[in-house]
Structures are given as structure tokens and as C-alpha cells.
Amino acid sequence: MSGSVNHAEKPGIVYETDEPVTYRVDEAGIAWITMNRPKYNNAQNSQMTYALDAAFVNAINDDAVKVIVLAGEGKHFSAGHDIGTPGRDVAKSFDRKMLLPDHVGKPGAEFLYTREQEVYLGMCRRWRDAPKATVAMVQGACIAGGLMLAWVCDLIVASEDAFFQDPVVRMGIPGVEYFAHAFELPPRVAKEFLLLGERMSAQRAESFGMVNRVVPRAELTEETQRIAIKLAAQPSLGVWLTKQAVNHVEELRGKRTAMDSVYHMHHFAHAQNDLVSGNALGGLDGKSMAAANKKQEGKA
Ligand code: ZN
């Protein structure tokens, strides 16, 4: 814990931890990559995203690792991208992992367009194509940017209390940057999911094949581990080829092209928000989004 000490170079950023992701490899060859900002429901800042990427790189480079589990510490898997914690570090430079320039200092819409190519779309595609099997272990909230992390995994195991939601249409934006909605859900359900922005229960998500298993919260880790052990016992190259085969079919169905096209709509919306309101998120932050969600769920 770094307390209130500011380790960031940019003034105004206060990281509550120096370890936004934990990494552990067990004796079964399972790498447990765990988002570790429970205080902020695992809101993803760049500090976390680059730590996640480093963990994926470790897991890929280690031949002892056969399967990767992506999890979130605490009550929730992930409340999404960090749009309002003290550790929000959108304007901070990091060493890029894609062949992209630094977004910091870029004028107008180029700033976010460049950043999100790297930090959201680029990273998600990179992890989705990892040459080892990946399993998302999802409890509680899996919202917006949280969906992206669950969706890039090969399998999703959810607890009964898990729910899925993409409420960013409220910001005037057509869904999160990794636009897999219409691939993960039937088109009409994807429209409902986005247009109403309501929570989808794990049980309903399972009915569309968006998640593989729904288990009681107390059995989530055990069930995930059980599946991961089975995956770890499969031949490594066979697993890699098999996931590539299915990913390839998705590409033939236009997944990558669809995402590229929607990414541009997403950034047109960011730019429009900026022009109209002076804020790329339409003036909404974590608090106001949470309040609007509560109101929608009839809790306020
Ligand atoms: Zn965005």
C-alpha cells in the first residue's frame, strides 16, 4: 500500500496500491491473474492494464503455465474502466506494447483515439489471442470495461450473483471499445442489452451461451479450478490450435472488422461529447454512472 503518497509522475494521480494485479502459479500449472483494486471494485486504470499485460506475458513465457485464470479480488469482478478514482491515470504516459505513439500531448480527439487503440482495443485483442487457454472467473459486477476482460477469455465461469452490463449508451456512446456484444449475444438481445443498459443476470447470460457455467458464489473458485485443471491436462499445442480455430471462425464472421468499424463510431461519440459538453464522457464519471444505475434498478 502506498497510502496517500503519490508515486505517479503526473500530479493529481494517487495510486492506492503498487500491486494492482497479483500473479500466482499453482502446482497444477494454473496462472491466477487477479485484479487487485477491490477498494474501487477493480476499476481498470492504465496502471492495472499494463500490470495485467505483464502478468499475461509472464504466463505465456513460463512453460510450466498451462492455463490462465483471470479473476477480480473482492466483491466484484470489475466495475469497468476507471472513470473517477484517485488513481485515474488517463493522461499518464506508459511504455506502449503496440506499435503506437504516446497519446499524451496529442491534440483533440487524437488523444483518446490513440490511447484506447492501445490500452483497450489493442490489449484486449492481444490477450484474446494468447496461445494458452484462458478462463474468466466472474463474481458480482462485470460492467462495461469488465465485460471486455471476461469476453477475451476462452471460457467464462460465473457465480450466481454475477451480472453483466454495458451502460455507456447513457454517455451517447455505442458500447465499450471492444465491441463483441453482437458476437457474444444474439443481435436482438445485444440491442436490448445496449439500448436499455440493464443488468443481465449470470443465469440469463448462460442461456445465450455468453457464460459457460453458473455456480453458487461459495463454489466459484473450486469450479474454476476444476475446469482449469482439465484444461491444463490437455496437450498445449492442441489447446492453442483449437482456440485459434474458433477465433478464426469468428474473424471469418467479421468480428475484427466489425470491431474496427464500431471503434470509429465509439470515437465519433467521444468527440461529439467533447464538442457539445467539453467532456469526452458526456460529463459522467464513476459516481454519476453508479447513481444512474441505481436509479434505473429502482434503488434510489
Ligand atoms: Zn472510449
Side-chain angles (χ1 to χ4, degrees):
M1 284 292 290
S2 55
S4 60
V5 179
N6 190 351
H7 290 283
E9 291 162 28
K10 281 273 169 192
I13 303 171
V14 182
Y15 289 141
E16 82 286 359
T17 178
D18 294 326
E19 199 181 18
V21 171
T22 62
Y23 180 79
R24 175 175 70 85
V25 179
D26 69 16
E27 61 286 350
I30 305 167
W32 296 82
I33 298 177
T34 306
M35 292 177 275
N36 188 36
R37 297 189 75 201
K39 184 179 176 186
Y40 298 113
N41 301 323
N42 296 318
Q44 303 160 39
N45 53 8
S46 288
Q47 181 205 29
M48 177 190 278
T49 303
Y50 283 94
L52 280 171
D53 191 69
F56 272 99
V57 169
N58 279 341
I60 301 310
N61 284 337
D62 184 352
D63 286 342
V65 170
K66 303 298 178 195
V67 53
I68 298 164
V69 172
L70 179 57
E73 185 64 38
K75 201 175 164 197
H76 301 288
F77 178 74
S78 174
H81 296 143
D82 189 336
I83 55 171
T85 83
R88 184 166 196 252
D89 52 6
V90 170
K92 183 172 153 64
S93 293
F94 287 80
D95 288 334
R96 269 89 53 210
K97 302 299 170 188
M98 316 290 147
L99 196 56
L100 287 165
D102 192 358
H103 65 289
V104 175
K106 295 291 180 291
E110 190 178 350
F111 174 87
L112 270 192
Y113 180 82
T114 308
R115 175 176 186 267
E116 295 190 350
Q117 283 268 5
E118 158 92 7
V119 178
Y120 298 154
L121 190 57
M123 288 291 195
C124 280
R125 282 174 164 170
R126 178 170 150 97
W127 303 334
R128 179 252 193 180
D129 291 334
K132 295 183 182 180
T134 53
V135 183
M137 182 172 89
V138 180
Q139 82 284 13
C142 181
I143 303 176
L147 285 171
M148 296 172 41
L149 294 193
W151 283 345
V152 299
C153 292
D154 299 314
L155 303 181
I156 302 177
V157 183
S159 58
E160 286 168 349
D161 69 325
F163 66 89
F164 304 86
Q165 184 182 25
D166 188 349
V168 308
V169 175
R170 189 177 294 133
M171 297 172 171
I173 299 171
V176 284
E177 294 80 6
Y178 184 85
F179 192 84
H181 310 60
F183 287 86
E184 296 287 347
L185 295 166
R188 199 168 309 283
V189 179
K191 285 179 183 171
E192 175 195 337
F193 186 65
L194 284 159
L195 292 172
L196 297 184
E198 291 175 348
R199 293 178 173 192
M200 179 181 284
S201 69
Q203 292 78 7
R204 191 168 182 225
E206 187 187 28
S207 75
F208 303 120
M210 203 195 92
V211 307
N212 299 89
R213 301 271 194 286
V214 181
V215 296
R217 178 72 185 84
E219 294 166 25
L220 180 62
T221 303
E222 193 185 342
E223 177 66 7
T224 305
Q225 189 173 28
R226 195 184 67 76
I227 288 171
I229 286 170
K230 277 194 171 180
L231 288 168
Q234 296 280 41
S236 301
L237 180 59
V239 167
W240 183 15
L241 294 174
T242 302
K243 70 176 280 182
Q244 281 189 95
V246 177
N247 287 355
H248 184 61
V249 170
E250 288 194 294
E251 304 305 9
L252 289 173
R253 289 176 180 156
K255 189 176 193 178
R256 188 180 177 90
T257 317
M259 271 189 196
D260 280 335
S261 102
V262 179
Y263 184 79
H264 290 85
M265 295 183 207
H266 180 100
H267 278 276
F268 168 65
H270 273 314
Q272 171 73 351
N273 279 341
D274 211 359
L275 285 167
V276 171
S277 71
N279 179 291
L281 303 180
L284 289 158
D285 62 8
K287 271 196 182 125
S288 53
M289 282 298 276
N293 279 341
K294 272 191 183 143
K295 197 173 172 190
Q296 187 182 43
E297 301 292 322
K299 287 175 191 158

